[in-house]
Amino acid sequence: MPELRNSLSLIIKDPTKYLTAMLWFAAAAFIFAVSPEVHFAQTEREKTEKEKAEARQKEEAKKKEIAVVEAGVKDVDDKEAAAKEAAAKEAASRDAGSRGPAKIGAPPSETATRPADKLLKTSKLRVGEKFSYTLSFGPSENAGVADIGITSSGKIEGRDALELRANIKTVELISAAFIKLDETRTTYLDAATGLPLFSGRVDRTGPLPVSTSSSFFKEAAVDHDLLSLIYAIRNAGGSGSFTVREGGAVHSVMAQNAGTIRSWTPLGVFETVIVRIESDLFASRGITDLAIHFSADDRMIPVVIRCRTDRGQFRAVLSTITEPAVEPAATPTPVPTPTPVRSPTPAPVTYIPNQPLLTELGFELGENLEFRVFYGGRPAGRVRLNAERRDMIDKVDTLILRAAVAGVEPGNPGLRMGDTAVAHVDPDTLATRKFESKFDSLFPALNQSVLFDSLTGKATFGSETVDIPLGTHSMVSLLYAMRSFNLKPSKDAGNPVNDTRVAVFWENRAYVFTLRPSAPEVITINGEKVAAQLISFQTGVPALDSLQIKVWIAAQSRVPLRFLAGQYQADITVNPKALE
């Protein structure tokens, strides 16, 4: 991952540029029409025959321009008023342009005197901002969650870039009855164009996560993707025309201001601007009446997103705003005190470590589970699983998961004090970013350190680099992630449609592990009978499959109760009844 910086800005298109130019042209044409001091022809004695022909052509062209202007003006007074209004708008536009973000295609002189960090402050893009939403679908108020934000800035292939990320996931009931959504999108924006340098998507709605990506490092993008489109509309003030590439096809998108409305959210009441979005991209998918309610201020925060589908009304309502930290100016200068404006938006806050995890992950930060390990029925030692902490590591919000040997019995063949495996993962998806492990006897293949690059889809260990799917897990992150998977057993054992397939890195490559859930059963642990669900693993790794790996999780809480691999068995040490 490149070194991150905050001194960037996204240079955006100005949808008023064309309109302003037309107003200026109309004013100029009107001046030519009413001013007696302007002449387009000279006398025949002062020009050659060729010059006279050119003069006549120019005069005819100007007459056509004058006619176009005069067609919409009734009399001279109206003409003068129109000219003054057009000139005023043009002056205001030039003045606003001198203060606002630079435009695509602007001469170098327009940006050369303005540093990148100043451009970032004047745009609507701020590194560290994140908007979270609750989803409603038809009559269901809590249908899922979503978020979108700018997670980092830095250089990629020598280009300044911003990292955008969005997640959306519907709850299980809505997924079964109406629509299933579970995906993560990541876009790296070119700060010079506002268009993608890289777009990645992980779709988890099927039995196997599907990763797709597009790279524009060699051939520059000319169209937006869905993430960059949202920010382009924000920065364009909620109106304009755009093109977006989705599913290999290019679609035109029109955004239009449709008035104002007060929007109610858990954060309070926002005064918002309704922006209607029209495109065959949405119409072809049965999505109609798509609109975004942006806050009616210079931030233009997406407060409400709504649309209709053939299955019902969909709404995403702003529930949380995470603000970036405010850095003090190096040389502060006095400025006029602005008029206070009430806003439900919370004050910017710095990063706070150990924030709670998403409830749908199925475990809490700080969870500490200890297991008694047996080999061939004899005590061998103890192993501990710990959701250790959540912190900013390498300027990225990171969850640390740890598996470690907590005790050994004399003569056991596999466990050694100091054996440990640590995974640095995404706190929301649990996809691994870094994995370090040391198991000298039990799993020698895990004595390694692996870096996972979500941008390039590569894993690096030692001097080797291999391709991996986006969202690839380590063995440690898989033990936690499986608790949020769809683990309903298939009705037909001969057609296991509910098997879950997930990419997992093992030794020197990524394998597709298959998790097959069984119906809940009653097992005995520590002398207590408890309802548990068996999950069988098929890894595609001969050495692992020979161990016939199985995990039993509590039927209700999904806490792992028992692990079985070959002659090793690990049972949780606490009373399993307390976990139900």
Side-chain angles (χ1 to χ4, degrees), residues 372-381 415 526 567-571:
R372 186 177 294 106
V373 181
F374 301 88
Y375 179 78
R378 300 180 60 183
L415 300 182
N526 300 331
Q567 296 189 64
Y568 282 94
Q569 178 176 316
D571 287 353

Side-chain angles (χ1 to χ4, degrees), residues 136-203:
S136 63
F137 199 91
S140 302
E141 292 296 327
N142 296 304
V145 293
D147 61 73
I148 183 172
I150 305 176
T151 59
S152 66
S153 63
K155 285 188 177 291
I156 302 175
E157 298 286 334
R159 306 180 200 179
D160 289 338
L162 293 173
E163 180 185 4
L164 312 180
R165 178 172 296 187
N167 301 281
I168 185 170
K169 183 176 182 179
T170 51
V171 298
E172 190 169 315
L173 178 63
I174 299 299
S175 297
F178 296 99
I179 186 172
K180 184 176 183 180
L181 297 173
D182 186 2
E183 70 176 51
T184 298
R185 289 180 182 249
T186 303
T187 297
Y188 290 82
L189 288 185
D190 188 334
T193 65
L195 295 170
L197 286 171
F198 174 89
S199 298
R201 177 189 181 198
V202 180
D203 185 353

Side-chain angles (χ1 to χ4, degrees), residues 456-459 465-469 472 505 508-510:
T456 61
K458 294 184 182 298
T465 299
V466 296
D467 292 328
I468 59 173
T472 295
F505 190 87
N508 58 6
R509 55 166 287 193

